[in-house]
Amino acid sequence: MYTPIMGDRLEDQDREELLLTARRLLAEAQALSIRISAVNEVATAINRTLDLNQILRVLGKQAKWLLDFEHCSVCLHSTNTCMTLFGRHIPVDIGALPEGGPIHKAFTTRQPQLIPEADATAILSPYASQIILPLESEGKVLGTINFATTKPRAYTQEDLRIGYLLALQLSSAIRNAERFKEINSLYSELDAEKHKSDRLLLNVLPVEIAEELKNNGKVEPLYYDNVSVLFTDFQGFTELSEKMTPRELVDELDYCFSYFDRVMDKYSMEKLKTIGDSYMCAAGIPTPRPTHAFDAVLAAIEIRQFMDLRKWQKAQQNIPYWDIRIGIHSGPILAGVIGHKKFSYDVWGDTVNTASRMESSGVPGNINISHDTFELVKDFFECEYRGKIYAKNKGELDMYLVHHIK
């Protein structure tokens, strides 16, 4: 039976040892979190297109964020080929793979293969360390993605797990691309144009509003008793934008706002507009729901976490970055569609003005909410009362900072 010795238990370690252990664990957790975030960024990039060649080109460029490799290739059953995405091309005949080889094993067993030191007869024999990962979707093996380096025993189980996460995302992207190709071949050019016009309309209008507009030719404005309006703005945007090229500025705003858009979808919120570096959205429209304030605050927390991570990433490159201010207010609004050629779904009312003041009177890096919103979410979130804060054209208003969910 195992008998603990001095130093084995945390209570037997001195304070310095505990601090070192805690710092090491924190560093490992942060490193893993960064790698997982990188997987998500790669997944976002490869899912922006349904063209298989473009997916693989993007993967070859961005996978370096995740693993250290000198060779990267993808073998696919559908094309019966193995395409080199990075490094020297090594011809691989999928139809003649040796049964004992790692690529064949990944095909047949559907299990990732970690090779610390490859045999001289292996297909990727110029590279000592290899990771071979099956690409599987809906119970079907689509192929493998292969990473390799000349350094022996270069890869760990953590590398294998990160690679496996990437393989899952790539499998989904490949499957989506194949399905799109199959479906696209079934539709006529007329049907494709119709779907294209519908998608364009849904980019600017909610589904229900778009349907009403198509069916009736107009949209009746609606009054909502209680919704939550959210504004964001970047602190220091003007100063930092002067140091960026126009292309860099637009790309960074697109990167941030594209993530915000995904958060809107996640919490069933409606994006209304962007003005410069400001982003406006609302919860509880066009379909009313009692959880609008809760959803808006959850979305704000996720946006804040994303911006904190983005600022940390820029700091690692010694690049200054802006802070975000987020403001939320809950109350009645009027919503409708304006315009005849370029439609816009918008909201009006004092609730919108107050939400804007919550943002402009907020604290950089924080979520500032009104008393009305606080009353709706106080049982779910830890909030800090700021007191009565002056807001332009509104006077002094009770404001609260949201810290985290309870």
Side-chain angles (χ1 to χ4, degrees), residues 84-114:
T84 299
L85 309 184
F86 187 90
R88 181 164 62 89
H89 175 66
I90 298 177
V92 177
D93 183 357
I94 294 182
L97 287 172
E99 291 190 5
I103 296 180
H104 185 272
K105 282 185 179 179
F107 274 146
T108 55
T109 67
R110 303 182 179 182
Q111 296 298 317
Q113 305 294 309
L114 176 61

Side-chain angles (χ1 to χ4, degrees), residues 68-318:
D68 183 19
F69 56 81
E70 298 169 54
H71 171 88
C72 176
S73 59
V74 171
C75 299
L76 294 177
H77 273 311
S78 59
T79 58
N80 207 36
T81 58
C82 195
M83 293 154 284
T84 299
L85 309 184
F86 187 90
R88 181 164 62 89
H89 175 66
I90 298 177
V92 177
D93 183 357
I94 294 182
L97 287 172
E99 291 190 5
I103 296 180
H104 185 272
K105 282 185 179 179
F107 274 146
T108 55
T109 67
R110 303 182 179 182
Q111 296 298 317
Q113 305 294 309
L114 176 61
I115 298 93
E117 293 190 53
D119 296 334
T121 59
I123 292 175
L124 302 178
S125 58
Y127 304 101
S129 299
Q130 303 172 18
I131 294 180
I132 313 297
L133 298 153
L135 300 174
E136 185 177 357
S137 177
E138 298 178 350
K140 177 183 177 182
V141 177
L142 308 176
T144 65
I145 180 169
N146 318 305
F147 300 99
T149 181
T150 55
K151 302 174 186 176
R153 301 186 178 277
Y155 297 127
T156 65
Q157 288 294 326
E158 181 177 309
D159 294 324
L160 188 67
R161 286 190 288 269
I162 290 296
Y164 180 71
L165 292 177
L166 179 62
L168 290 177
Q169 300 294 340
L170 178 59
S171 301
S172 176
I174 292 174
R175 187 59 177 161
N176 289 340
E178 291 179 347
R179 281 181 172 173
F180 176 77
K181 187 176 180 179
E182 294 168 0
I183 293 173
N184 197 45
S185 65
L186 300 177
Y187 287 92
S188 66
E189 185 177 345
L190 181 60
D191 288 332
E193 288 300 319
K194 179 181 181 299
H195 290 307
K196 181 179 178 181
S197 64
D198 288 344
R199 286 195 297 271
L200 289 174
L201 188 59
L202 291 175
N203 279 338
V204 294
L205 298 176
V207 176
E208 301 92 328
I209 303 301
E211 288 298 323
E212 182 179 351
L213 183 63
K214 287 192 296 181
N215 295 333
N216 304 329
K218 63 179 181 178
V219 176
E220 294 294 333
L222 291 176
Y223 175 81
Y224 294 84
D225 289 328
N226 206 355
V227 304
S228 291
V229 179
L230 182 153
F231 279 89
T232 77
D233 184 72
F234 294 140
Q235 174 77 14
F237 174 82
T238 302
E239 296 80 358
L240 290 176
S241 63
E242 293 173 352
K243 302 175 184 178
M244 305 170 69
T245 66
R247 185 66 187 178
E248 290 172 337
L249 180 62
V250 171
D251 286 347
E252 190 59 34
L253 283 176
D254 178 67
Y255 183 81
C256 294
F257 288 163
S258 293
Y259 183 85
F260 294 3
D261 289 346
R262 292 194 295 276
V263 174
M264 296 303 103
D265 290 339
K266 180 177 179 179
Y267 294 103
S268 301
M269 295 180 62
E270 192 62 41
K271 174 185 176 181
L272 296 169
K273 67 180 75 173
T274 60
I275 304 174
D277 61 314
S278 297
Y279 188 98
M280 177 185 176
C281 56
I285 59 171
T287 303
R289 63 181 186 274
T291 61
H292 58 86
F294 181 78
D295 296 332
V297 174
L298 279 180
I301 290 175
E302 189 158 329
I303 288 173
R304 181 180 63 185
Q305 290 173 338
F306 166 79
M307 294 303 299
D308 288 344
L309 175 62
R310 190 64 174 164
K311 185 176 181 180
W312 181 88
Q313 291 171 337
K314 293 293 184 179
Q316 303 308 300
Q317 307 171 45
N318 294 320

